[in-house]
Amino acid sequence: SRAEEEFSIFRLFGSLKRYLRHPVIVKKYEKLLVPIRFHDMRKHFIDANDLPGKFCLSTYLKSCSLNVSLRLVHISFFAWLALLGFFNFLYFA
């Protein structure tokens, strides 16, 4: 909507003005923002799921991403043959 566009334009100019006035501080702020957001997300996840405080979220996230990747890559032998045949047909046709 129009109000959202105006808000995002003002926000963009505000961040540009801050960057031009204090470039070193803005760089430090942006560098620190990622770990702070990660720890905030970690704390929220631990509290929401009643997990112990020493729960390693990064290991859990790596395990989840590996599991999702393996599910996406798991294709039967016949599906691989069909894909191979299809791409060969596209290449040589």
Side-chain angles (χ1 to χ4, degrees), residues 15-80:
S15 62
L16 181 63
K17 187 169 77 171
R18 270 192 305 277
Y19 184 77
L20 292 175
R21 283 186 179 173
H22 310 286
V24 175
I25 294 173
V26 170
K27 290 257 188 200
K28 286 182 182 180
Y29 171 79
E30 289 173 352
K31 187 177 178 181
L32 288 173
L33 196 58
V34 173
I36 289 172
R37 285 186 177 163
F38 176 79
H39 287 291
D40 186 38
M41 178 187 69
R42 178 183 175 274
K43 175 76 171 129
H44 177 71
F45 184 79
I46 287 173
D47 291 344
N49 295 300
D50 295 326
L51 297 169
K54 292 187 177 188
F55 181 76
C56 187
L57 184 65
S58 60
T59 304
Y60 173 75
L61 290 175
K62 286 177 188 175
S63 173
C64 289
S65 65
L66 178 65
N67 188 13
V68 169
S69 300
L70 288 174
R71 285 184 182 182
L72 288 174
V73 172
H74 180 70
I75 299 175
S76 71
F77 175 73
F78 297 109
W80 278 116

